[in-house]
Amino acid sequence: MELTKEEVLHIARLARLGIEDAEIDRLQGELSDILGHFTVLSQVDTEGVPPTAHTVAQCNVLGYDEPAPSLPTEEVLSNAPDRDGDFFRIHAVLE
Amino acid sequence: MTIDVSSFTIVEARKLLDAKEISSVELTRAYLDRIDAVDGKVQALMTVTGDLALKQAKDADAAIARGEVAALTGVPVILKDVLCTKGVRTTCSSKMLENFIPPYDAGVVERLKARGAVIIAKANMDEFAMGSSTENSVYFTTHNPWDLTRVPGGSSGGSAAAVSAGEAPAALGSDTGGSIRQPASFCSVTGLKPTYGLVSRYGLIAFASSLDQIGPLTQDVADSALMLNAIAGYDPRDSTSVPQPEADYYGCLGGSVKGMRLGVPKEYFAQGVTPEVKAAVDAALKVYEDLGCSIEECSLPTTSYALAVYYIIAPSEASANLARYDGVRYGFSYKDTGSMWQAMEKTRGLGFGPEVKRRIMLGTYALSAGYYDAWYVKAQKVRTVIRREFDAAFEKYDALITPTAPTVPFKIGEKAADPFSMYLSDICTIPVNIAGLPGISIQAGFADNLPIGLQIIGKPFSEKTILNLGHAYQQNTAWHKRRPKL
C-alpha cells in the first residue's frame, strides 16, 4: 500500500489542510504504512452484512419546534478572530 | 484544620463535609495547595480556576448550611479540557483553540454544577483527544505520577494523572478508543467508559461522534458510581442521547457476585500483552473465582480487526467534525494572505498538530471518491461483525474480563516517532467503543511499581453489573489504595 506524493497533496487539498514540503514526505510514509496495516480488513467476510453507523439503534430523533432565545449576538461574536460591528469579518469569497 | 487530601475519595470528603468537620472552602483550598505542591512535577493541568472554585465552594457551604446537600455538594472536580466551560478557556490542548472561551457549559458540566460540584481545574490532554500518551498536547507533556519519566496514557492523561496525584478526588475524561480506561490503567485509578448514549455529549468538543463518550476517573469504583449518578441522563440537545430511566449506580453497589458468569476472550491476550499484565489478570480472575463467579475462556475472533476498523472510522468522523475549524467564527485564524482558500489552508495547517493532521488525512482518504466503499463502508461492516460477536458472548456471560492495556506505562518519547506502535496501546479498549459497550478499568496490580489495569466489559446499559463487579474486587483487594509518592 503505497500512496504517491500526488495522492497526499490531493487529500490535503480535499481537507483544506496546508502542509509544508517536509510534511508531505513524512505523511506519504506514515499514511502508506498505516493503511498498509489496515488492508487486513479485506480478509473479513462481510457478504450480506449491513454497515453499522451507530451502535444505538434510534429512529428519527425529532425535536419540538419551539421558539427559544438564541445566544446573544455579543456572545456569538465573542470568539470571532475578526469582526466588523455585528458581523464576522472574513476574506472575500467572490473576487 | 490541616488535612492531607492526596488520597481522599468523594465518599470520605462527603462524610467530613456533612459532619461539618471541614468546609468546602477549606477542602478546596487544600486541593489548590496540593496542586501548587505537585503539579509542577506532574503537569496534569491546563488551567486552574482557583478564584472561581473558591466562589463555588462558598456557595456550596451556604447550601450545606441550609441543608441542601447533593452527592457532590462542595466536592472539587477536574474536567478534561475537551469539555466546554462557560467563561473558562477551553483549549482541547490545541493551538487552534488557544483563546477559545465557550459561551456555554457542556451538559455534563451543567449537571455537575447543579449537584454542587466545585470545578477546580481543566486538565491537559492529547490534542483534540487524539493520542494514547498525552504527548500530543501542543502545550506540554503530562508525566505519570508513578514514574515521572513515563507517560500517563491518553488522551485523558491529564485527568488520570491529576486524580492519581491527589489534585482532586475525581475528574471527567472522554473515551473514543480507550482514552479514559487506558490512562486509568497507566496511572492506577478507576476509569469508566459508559454505554454510548448514556451520558450527553452536548458541549464535548467532537472527535469521532459515533464513538466518543464522557466518563469519570476516580480513586475507586464507589466514587465512579457517584460520578455516574451525577452525569448520566437524557439530554434532548444530543440526538444520540438515549432516554433511560435515571438509576442509582451507587446504591446498587455491594450486591453479591456469586454465580456470575465471566468470559475471558483469548484474543485479548494475543496482541502484545506482557507476562506481568497477564499474571495480574490471572490473579484477578482467581479473586472472582473465590467470590463464586464462574470463569470461562471464550473467543471473539474478529477482535484482531478492531484496530483497523477504529483507525478508519474515527479519523473519518474526525475529518468531518474538524472541518468546522476554518478560522472564521472562533479559534486560531491566519490572516496574512490574500484569498479565502489560502487563509483557510494556512489556518488549518498551522493550527493543528501532527497527529491531528495525520488523522484528518487518513479520514479524508477513507471517505474520498473511489475509496469510500473499500475503506469506510468495509470498516462499518466489520464493525457490525464485531458487535454481533459481543452480542453472542453476552448471551452466555454477564461480563467479559480482559487487560486494559497490554503493557505498563511506557517512557515519554518511546513511541512518539512510530504512530502505529502508539495505536497498538489501545488494542484492548478499542473494541468496546466500536460496539458502544460500557467498560471499566480498575487497579489490578503493579510490575516494578508501575500500574496494571483490569478491564470489565458489560452489555449495553449494564453499568450496574460492571460497577458491582469492580466494587466487589476492590472490597477484596487493596491495589486501589496504593498512592504514588510525589
Side-chain angles (χ1 to χ4, degrees):
Chain A
M1 182 76 213
E2 204 59 48
L3 288 188
T4 65
K5 188 173 174 181
E6 288 67 36
E7 282 176 307
V8 172
L9 286 167
H10 175 62
I11 301 163
R13 199 187 63 77
L14 289 175
R16 299 289 175 199
L17 200 55
I19 51 175
E20 306 292 328
D21 286 347
E23 287 179 287
I24 298 172
D25 288 342
R26 186 170 50 76
L27 281 166
Q28 189 183 350
E30 288 173 354
L31 297 179
S32 299
D33 179 43
I34 294 165
L35 288 166
H37 286 289
F38 297 165
T39 54
V40 293
L41 282 183
S42 62
Q43 297 168 0
V44 185
D45 180 7
T46 52
E47 188 66 36
V49 176
T52 296
H54 266 272
T55 52
V56 178
Q58 297 224 75
C59 292
N60 290 340
V61 178
L62 304 174
Y64 292 102
D65 188 14
E66 288 173 346
S70 52
L71 277 178
T73 309
E74 202 49 45
E75 286 188 26
V76 171
L77 287 159
S78 62
N79 283 289
D82 198 2
R83 63 185 281 190
D84 186 351
D86 283 350
F87 299 94
F88 291 98
R89 189 181 170 87
I90 63 168
H91 282 86
V93 176
L94 300 171
E95 292 179 351
Chain B
M1 100 188 232
T2 308
I3 47 165
D4 174 15
V5 291
S6 62
S7 61
F8 254 25
T9 62
I10 298 175
V11 171
E12 287 164 350
R14 176 83 276 137
K15 276 184 196 149
L16 291 181
L17 287 166
D18 289 347
K20 303 208 171 49
E21 287 180 29
I22 189 172
S23 69
S24 175
V25 168
E26 287 169 322
L27 185 67
T28 303
R29 282 220 172 92
Y31 276 112
L32 290 170
D33 289 345
R34 175 76 183 167
I35 289 169
D36 273 347
V38 300
D39 204 58
K41 294 182 204 168
V42 179
Q43 294 187 270
L45 304 179
M46 181 65 69
T47 305
V48 179
T49 53
D51 292 343
L52 202 62
L54 287 168
K55 189 184 168 299
Q56 290 173 353
K58 214 172 154 187
D59 292 344
D61 283 332
I64 292 169
R66 290 194 304 272
E68 296 166 7
V69 182
L72 298 176
T73 304
V75 176
V77 171
I78 288 171
L79 305 171
K80 185 177 182 179
D81 213 22
V82 70
L83 294 165
C84 284
T85 40
K86 185 173 183 172
V88 175
R89 194 171 77 119
T90 300
T91 68
C92 247
S93 291
S94 178
K95 181 179 178 183
M96 191 60 95
L97 290 173
E98 190 171 7
N99 299 311
F100 179 58
I101 299 178
Y104 65 98
D105 277 327
V108 290
V109 178
E110 288 176 349
R111 282 179 162 268
L112 288 179
K113 284 184 175 175
R115 283 152 185 80
V118 171
I119 312 298
I120 197 168
K122 304 290 294 285
N124 195 29
M125 54 185 278
D126 282 305
E127 184 180 8
F128 282 99
M130 298 179 191
S132 309
S133 65
T134 315
E135 291 167 291
N136 292 332
S137 166
V138 299
Y139 299 107
F140 49 87
T141 295
T142 296
H143 299 254
N144 191 310
W146 293 91
D147 177 348
L148 296 172
T149 68
R150 291 177 188 265
V151 302
S155 64
S156 308
S159 297
V163 172
S164 175
E167 297 178 57
L172 288 186
S174 65
D175 190 316
T176 306
S179 281
I180 290 172
R181 290 159 288 152
Q182 185 255 23
S185 174
F186 278 13
C187 293
S188 199
V189 296
T190 296
L192 172 68
K193 182 251 162 205
T195 306
Y196 182 82
L198 183 66
V199 176
S200 166
R201 290 181 298 108
Y202 174 78
L204 167 71
I205 294 175
F207 159 20
S209 306
S210 80
L211 304 161
D212 297 339
Q213 189 63 189
I214 299 165
L217 291 129
T218 53
Q219 294 198 18
D220 62 22
V221 172
D223 279 8
S224 186
L226 275 178
M227 288 292 284
L228 188 63
N229 274 359
I231 62 173
Y234 177 64
D235 183 350
R237 296 168 300 184
D238 170 5
S239 64
T240 60
S241 174
V242 177
Q244 286 271 320
E246 299 220 356
D248 181 4
Y249 300 99
Y250 182 70
C252 78
L253 298 179
S256 169
V257 297
K258 194 175 176 184
M260 290 192 92
R261 302 157 303 165
L262 306 180
V264 185
K266 62 181 180 187
E267 289 80 7
Y268 284 74
F269 296 83
Q271 308 187 57
V273 172
T274 62
E276 297 82 13
V277 172
K278 184 172 184 313
V281 176
D282 286 343
L285 290 170
K286 180 78 177 51
V287 172
Y288 281 119
E289 207 168 22
D290 291 346
L291 289 170
C293 299
S294 68
I295 316 274
E296 191 174 283
E297 185 181 87
C298 63
S299 177
L300 300 167
T302 314
T303 299
S304 62
Y305 299 97
L307 192 75
V309 170
Y310 177 82
Y311 278 101
I312 302 297
I313 293 173
S316 296
E317 294 183 8
S319 74
N321 275 323
L322 271 59
R324 72 189 60 171
Y325 299 100
D326 53 13
V328 171
R329 289 150 300 160
Y330 45 79
F332 171 72
S333 183
Y334 184 87
K335 295 196 188 67
D336 196 15
T337 186
S339 86
M340 180 190 73
W341 292 118
Q342 281 172 350
M344 197 183 294
E345 286 179 5
K346 274 280 189 188
T347 292
R348 292 166 60 76
L350 296 171
F352 291 133
E355 182 61 29
V356 176
K357 283 192 202 175
R358 195 151 45 229
R359 297 206 194 184
I360 289 174
M361 293 285 286
L362 268 174
T364 304
Y365 175 82
L367 293 176
S368 64
Y371 299 108
Y372 178 80
D373 284 322
W375 291 97
Y376 182 71
V377 176
K378 180 74 181 181
Q380 295 282 47
K381 287 181 176 177
V382 180
R383 183 181 197 175
T384 308
V385 176
I386 291 171
R387 171 66 187 250
R388 286 176 177 173
E389 283 181 4
F390 274 117
D391 288 345
F394 286 123
E395 285 180 14
K396 270 183 92 176
Y397 306 110
D398 296 299
L400 301 172
I401 306 283
T402 77
T404 306
T407 67
V408 295
F410 46 87
K411 291 265 188 188
I412 289 170
E414 189 181 324
K415 300 190 182 202
D418 182 358
F420 190 74
S421 79
M422 183 77 87
Y423 295 170
L424 286 167
S425 63
D426 287 334
I427 200 149
C428 300
T429 49
I430 275 174
V432 173
N433 300 74
I434 287 174
L437 308 172
I440 190 167
S441 176
I442 55 175
Q443 304 91 321
F446 290 83
D448 292 334
N449 207 38
L450 294 170
I452 296 169
L454 179 83
Q455 180 174 230
I456 308 169
I457 305 169
K459 62 181 89 168
F461 303 106
S462 71
E463 274 77 2
K464 284 183 177 175
T465 303
I466 62 170
L467 285 164
N468 214 9
L469 277 164
H471 185 65
Y473 177 82
Q474 291 187 341
Q475 296 300 101
N476 289 277
T477 55
W479 301 118
H480 62 290
K481 291 192 173 153
R482 244 199 232 190
R483 312 307 320 153
K485 290 188 177 65
L486 280 164

